[in-house]
């Protein structure tokens, strides 16, 4: 397990990994080090077969207040922060958005990901949630796509994720206005799936994750990618091909035999297939795009 400076990382006995953004004195504001820590944390959850689901939340009274603005007006001037971005692994001529690197890593996750939004989530604090599978929030949480009010533009691949989740009109209004809005509005427009009293938020997230932990890990990993990659397909036929391959491969698996036997025996299933061994090749034509 790599050391984390900006996160807390825990795996409980039910196979639920909790990643807690841990800069509470700064409302968990995002830094290049937090980017690296988050990428490493998702590498860890994918590699650990004991992990069945992942919860992401924040320490203290905030989820993530966006980028740390401690550098003042130069915060988003990547050319003026050359050494910092090189230290974060950026080697291209055009600076890679750190939030985007986190979102792409979450997009590739082999485990279900649940955001438990305990407080303020603005800027990258909200956009990093978009590739997570389930978002639930405290009734006291606030959200804001505040980029236009800072003179910048949206990031973390949110121009791809956000309109797919809530539709272009809501996405554009939130981004044009840059206003901070309530958890109730986020729920009404589909950004979050459920609201909970602050003290009930993490128990609710754990209940969802525990339900996921009863399913076959490999099946969840495959279906997660079937859905997310399916959003890039040009025609339903592409999804039909991938679905057909996955059903054939998974239908002949030891997991399928165990799942049926457990159902007939009226007992919990003990699925043997390990996600760490890699996914079946359902997309022989798929090539991971490079950043250029």
């Amino acid at each position: 397990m790599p050391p984390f400076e900006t996160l807390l990382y825990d795996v409980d006995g039910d196979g639920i990994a909790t990643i807690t953004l841990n800069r509470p004195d700064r409302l968990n504001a995002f830094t290049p080090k937090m980017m690296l820590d988050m990428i490493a944390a998702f590498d860890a959850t994918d590699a650990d077969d004991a992990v069945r689901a992942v919860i992401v939340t924040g320490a203290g009274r905030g989820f993530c207040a966006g980028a740390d603005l401690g550098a003042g007006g130069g915060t988003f001037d990547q050319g003026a922060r050359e050494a910092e971005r090189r230290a974060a692994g950026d080697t291209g001529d055009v600076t890679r958005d750190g939030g985007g690197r986190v979102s792409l890593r979450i997009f590739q996750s082999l485990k279900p990901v649940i955001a438990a939004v305990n407080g303020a989530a603005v800027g990258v604090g909200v956009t990093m949630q978009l590739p997570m599978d389930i978002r639930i929030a405290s009734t006291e949480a606030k959200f804001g796509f505040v980029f236009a009010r800072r003179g910048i533009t949206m990031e973390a691949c949110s121009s791809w994720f956000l309109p797919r989740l809530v539709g272009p009109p809501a996405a554009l209004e939130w981004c044009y206005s840059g206003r901070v809005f309530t958890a109730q509005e986020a729920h009404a427009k589909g950004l979050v799936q459920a609201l909970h009293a602050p003290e009930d938020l993490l128990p609710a997230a754990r209940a969802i994750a525990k339900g996921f932990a009863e399913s076959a890990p490999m099946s969840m990993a495959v279906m997660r990618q079937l859905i997310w990659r399916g959003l890039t397909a040009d025609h339903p036929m592409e999804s039909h091909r991938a679905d057909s391959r996955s059903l054939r491969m998974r239908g002949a698996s030891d997991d399928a035999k165990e799942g049926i036997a457990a159902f007939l025996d009226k007992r919990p299933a003990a699925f043997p297939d390990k996600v760490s061994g890699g996914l079946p090749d359902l997309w022989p034509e798929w090539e991971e795009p490079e950043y250029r």
Side-chain angles (χ1 to χ4, degrees):
M1 179 62 59
F4 297 120
E5 294 180 16
T6 66
L7 310 177
L8 300 176
Y9 182 92
D10 175 72
V11 181
D12 69 15
D14 292 319
I16 301 168
T18 301
I19 298 170
T20 304
L21 310 183
N22 190 38
R23 301 185 71 224
D25 56 321
R26 300 288 293 172
L27 289 178
N28 305 317
F30 187 84
T31 65
K33 179 55 180 171
M34 183 177 284
M35 175 198 75
L36 294 175
D37 280 352
M38 290 193 72
I39 290 170
F42 278 93
D43 288 345
T45 58
D46 274 0
D48 186 352
D49 286 317
V51 172
R52 299 297 189 93
V54 182
I55 296 171
V56 181
T57 192
R61 59 191 180 88
F63 179 81
C64 174
D68 192 318
L69 301 180
T75 297
F76 301 109
D77 184 356
Q78 297 294 344
R81 302 176 70 183
E82 185 76 10
E84 184 177 273
R85 76 180 186 87
R86 295 295 185 192
D90 194 343
T91 58
D93 293 333
V94 177
T95 301
R96 290 193 67 175
D97 159 40
R101 291 177 64 183
V102 170
S103 287
L104 287 169
R105 182 61 190 87
I106 296 171
F107 174 83
Q108 294 168 339
S109 173
L110 301 179
K111 311 295 172 69
V113 186
I114 301 161
V117 188
N118 57 300
V122 300
V124 69
V126 62
T127 55
M128 73 165 68
Q129 301 172 31
L130 303 181
M132 300 182 192
D133 304 305
I134 304 290
R135 288 164 299 283
I136 63 174
S138 161
T139 52
E140 303 301 315
K142 304 284 186 181
F143 298 82
F145 297 88
V146 297
F147 310 107
R149 297 211 178 176
R150 306 291 182 267
I152 59 170
T153 56
M154 59 203 307
E155 39 63 86
C157 308
S158 56
S159 60
W160 191 88
F161 286 104
L162 185 59
R164 285 168 169 79
L165 292 172
V166 301
L172 288 167
E173 192 277 322
W174 283 337
C175 292
Y176 287 162
S177 69
R179 63 185 176 86
V180 174
F181 54 93
T182 65
Q184 289 72 24
E185 180 176 342
H187 182 233
K189 295 189 177 179
L191 182 62
V192 300
Q193 282 71 53
L195 301 181
H196 298 274
E199 65 274 15
D200 296 332
L201 180 66
L202 276 178
R206 290 192 178 101
I208 295 169
K210 192 171 181 179
F212 293 165
E214 296 174 0
S215 296
M218 182 65 80
S219 293
M220 290 192 294
V222 169
M223 289 190 293
R224 189 177 198 276
Q225 291 304 309
L226 284 171
I227 288 175
W228 281 119
R229 292 189 185 189
L231 290 176
T232 70
D234 293 327
H235 191 279
M237 181 58 75
E238 295 181 41
S239 292
H240 177 52
R241 293 189 189 107
D243 290 350
S244 298
R245 291 189 190 105
S246 68
L247 193 57
R248 176 170 181 167
M249 293 178 183
R250 297 300 298 148
S253 70
D254 291 336
D255 272 358
K257 295 180 179 67
E258 168 62 11
I260 293 169
F263 174 75
L264 295 175
D265 295 343
K266 297 181 172 56
R267 59 171 174 80
F271 295 107
D273 291 348
K274 306 297 184 185
V275 170
S276 61
L279 298 184
D281 185 12
L282 307 180
W283 301 273
E285 70 285 353
W286 176 272
E287 292 185 8
E288 192 69 32
E290 294 182 6
Y291 181 83
R292 319 184 172 185

